[in-house]
């Protein structure tokens, strides 16, 4: 990636827009490109900039303003700049060919971002950013043969995503059947049934499908229903700090990360193996602070009864009530207490673990193909 950016600054004109999957890749790539900051190249002095959803509106506005004369910007961006924003001055696009998409994490049952190849339509959209204001060039860091095997378009999230939060909001609006509404992409019936099943197990829907008081409270919070159930129960039971730990661990965990019990020990600073290493892997401590602030505020209402009650199943191995189909004990807060115990440690151990260049005018950027895998080099 860094090599291609240097080549673009040397051989082409205008600002360079670099597409990367996420903030982590942006941070690592910027570290490699830091020596270029304020150096002289043909057409001006290099200025490094970032563009992603975590920036404040003022910071984003600074990037999308016209560049100062005598400067050539290298803008490291997520897919945010793919369709939402036009960045003036851009004549070159460098595309890593990867993007983040939201999928359900099988370990937590929560939506999580996964990195995968951008579709051909998405890549063409990115390419077009170099030709918005005039002729440009697009570098693709994958081979032309690889391009032929990429999906033609992105699959709408409605068709393969988690619809639990959507179904809960629809019930809060008084819509029990999504089929009553007109959709560009109709929610798959099997996904709707699965969402209703989970909401019933969480206590948000009654057995007859009506929205419960707990469900209305969960819908008003704005979290994913699994997290909202923990948040409401935390307020009801007075276990805000423990809930903040549980929510932070669940929210920042990934299927390929260290097990949850170890993350709890990391959060408390009690794991000797991690002393002297990074104390906030994956933003764990930051997430805990945010959850504590949220749970102690007024965003989370108190509900008289937050547990399903009559339909609880019995977990004979731990002698704790378990919500059917859910990975937490009947009180969601009890999950963390179990996760940090020796019993949970034993359970965790038992688990299976390029071509030529032909510049064109008329707003259609030329393409340069690469052979290597994307990523900072």
């Amino acid at each position: 990636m860094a090599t291609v950016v240097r080549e673009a600054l040397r051989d082409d004109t205008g600002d360079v827009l670099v597409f990367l999957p996420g903030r982590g890749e942006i941070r690592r790539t910027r570290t490699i490109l830091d020596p270029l900051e304020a150096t002289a190249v043909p057409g001006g002095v290099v200025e490094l900039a970032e563009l992603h959803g975590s920036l404040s509106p003022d910071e984003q506005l600074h990037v999308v303003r016209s560049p100062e004369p005598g400067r050539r910007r290298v803008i490291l961006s997520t897919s945010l700049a793919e369709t939402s924003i036009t960045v003036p001055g851009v004549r070159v696009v460098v595309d890593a060919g990867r993007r983040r998409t939201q999928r359900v994490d099988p370990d937590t049952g929560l939506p999580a971002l996964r990195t995968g190849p951008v579709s051909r339509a998405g890549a063409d959209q990115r390419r077009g950013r170099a030709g918005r204001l005039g002729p440009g060039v697009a570098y693709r860091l994958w081979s032309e043969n690889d391009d032929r095997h990429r999906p033609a378009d992105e699959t709408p999230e409605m068709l393969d995503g988690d619809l639990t939060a959507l179904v809960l909001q629809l019930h809060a609006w008084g819509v029990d059947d999504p089929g009553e509404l007109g959709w560009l992409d109709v929610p798959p019936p099997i996904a709707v049934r699965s969402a209703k099943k989970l909401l019933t197990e969480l206590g948000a829907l009654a057995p007859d499908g009506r929205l419960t008081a707990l469900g209305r409270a969960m819908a008003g919070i704005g979290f994913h229903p699994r997290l909202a159930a923990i948040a409401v129960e935390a307020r009801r039971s007075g276990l805000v700090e423990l809930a903040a730990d549980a929510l932070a661990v669940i929210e920042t965990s990934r299927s390929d990360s260290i097990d949850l019990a170890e993350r709890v020990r990391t959060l408390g600073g009690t794991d000797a193996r991690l002393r002297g290493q990074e104390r906030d892997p994956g933003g764990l401590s930051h997430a805990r602070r945010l959850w504590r602030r949220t749970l102690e505020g007024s965003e989370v209402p108190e509900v008289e009864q937050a547990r399903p009650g009559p339909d609880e199943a019995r977990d004979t191995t731990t002698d704790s009530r378990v919500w059917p189909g859910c990975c937490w004990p009947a009180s969601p807060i009890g999950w963390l207490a179990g996760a940090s115990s020796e019993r949970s440690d034993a359970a965790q151990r038992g688990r299976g673990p390029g071509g030529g260049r032909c510049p064109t005018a008329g707003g259609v950027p030329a393409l340069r193909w690469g052979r290597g895998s994307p990523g900072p080099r």
Side-chain angles (χ1 to χ4, degrees):
M1 173 66 74
T3 300
V4 175
V5 170
R6 292 188 181 95
E7 179 183 334
L9 289 171
R10 183 189 68 229
D11 297 342
D12 303 301
T13 61
D15 293 345
V16 181
L17 178 60
V18 181
F19 282 103
L20 293 159
R23 291 174 56 194
E25 290 84 358
I26 287 176
R27 186 173 57 251
R28 291 192 294 272
T29 303
R30 179 158 190 166
T31 298
I32 297 172
L33 293 175
D34 269 340
L36 285 177
E37 183 83 54
T39 60
V41 295
V45 175
V46 175
E47 176 185 343
L48 299 179
E50 299 180 14
L51 184 58
H52 47 77
S54 300
L55 299 178
S56 68
D58 287 342
E59 290 172 318
Q60 293 185 21
L61 184 60
H62 176 74
V63 176
V64 301
R65 286 175 179 156
S66 296
E68 297 181 13
R71 290 186 174 274
R72 292 192 63 188
R73 297 181 300 172
V74 176
I75 303 162
L76 309 177
S77 175
T78 63
S79 296
L80 178 66
E82 191 173 304
T83 57
S84 305
I85 295 174
T86 295
V87 184
V90 171
R91 294 291 185 273
V92 182
V93 162
V94 180
D95 189 357
R98 311 283 284 177
R99 71 177 306 153
R100 297 271 200 272
T101 54
Q102 199 171 72
R103 295 291 182 268
V104 176
D105 188 315
D107 278 7
T108 65
L110 295 169
L113 293 176
R114 291 289 176 266
T115 303
V118 68
S119 68
R120 295 197 302 274
D124 285 341
Q125 185 74 36
R126 294 179 176 186
R127 175 191 181 188
R129 311 315 283 182
R132 295 281 295 198
L133 304 174
V137 175
Y139 293 79
R140 289 179 176 174
L141 303 190
W142 64 95
S143 69
E144 194 168 1
N145 181 61
D146 182 18
D147 191 70
R148 287 193 289 268
H149 293 87
R150 289 177 176 247
D153 212 336
E154 311 293 341
T155 301
E157 188 180 341
M158 181 69 78
L159 300 183
D160 65 356
D162 176 23
L163 303 186
T164 310
L166 171 65
V167 171
L168 178 60
Q169 288 297 329
L170 290 177
H171 275 79
W173 297 341
V175 180
D176 295 343
D177 180 11
E180 299 174 12
L181 304 178
W183 303 89
L184 292 176
D185 298 294
V186 178
I190 188 172
V192 174
R193 289 195 299 270
S194 177
K196 288 186 175 183
K197 180 175 182 292
L198 175 58
L199 290 171
T200 302
E201 293 167 354
L202 292 174
L205 297 181
D208 61 2
R210 290 180 298 105
L211 189 68
T212 65
L214 171 61
R216 191 164 297 281
M218 290 166 56
I221 298 174
F223 307 150
H224 186 278
R226 289 187 186 271
L227 302 182
I230 297 180
V232 173
E233 174 71 3
R235 289 294 298 270
R236 191 192 71 82
S237 58
L239 297 173
V240 168
E241 289 202 7
L242 185 58
D245 288 350
L247 290 163
V249 168
I250 295 170
E251 186 180 46
T252 61
S253 294
R254 303 174 315 199
S255 295
D256 58 350
S257 64
I258 58 179
D259 66 56
L260 299 184
E262 188 169 337
R263 290 182 68 81
V264 174
R265 292 194 295 270
T266 302
L267 190 60
T270 59
D271 195 330
R273 291 173 298 167
L274 298 175
R275 289 174 186 161
Q277 299 181 25
E278 182 184 6
R279 293 300 299 275
D280 192 21
L284 188 55
S285 297
H286 177 66
R288 176 172 62 175
R289 288 194 297 271
L290 292 179
W291 277 113
R292 280 184 178 174
R293 189 183 311 157
T294 300
L295 295 174
E296 292 168 354
S298 59
E299 297 92 338
V300 181
E302 294 191 19
V303 179
E304 183 66 24
Q305 179 66 23
R307 298 179 182 176
D311 297 323
E312 292 169 348
R314 176 69 64 178
D315 179 356
T316 57
T317 60
T318 62
D319 196 30
S320 65
R321 292 173 298 172
V322 175
W323 297 17
C326 188
C327 60
W328 301 305
S331 166
I333 306 303
W335 172 85
L336 184 63
S340 59
S341 68
E342 292 181 3
R343 178 180 61 205
S344 178
D345 286 349
Q348 290 284 348
R349 287 192 295 271
R351 287 177 48 190
R357 173 195 183 193
C358 32
T360 62
V364 182
L367 281 177
R368 293 180 180 177
W369 298 96
R371 301 177 190 74
S373 60
R377 294 180 179 274

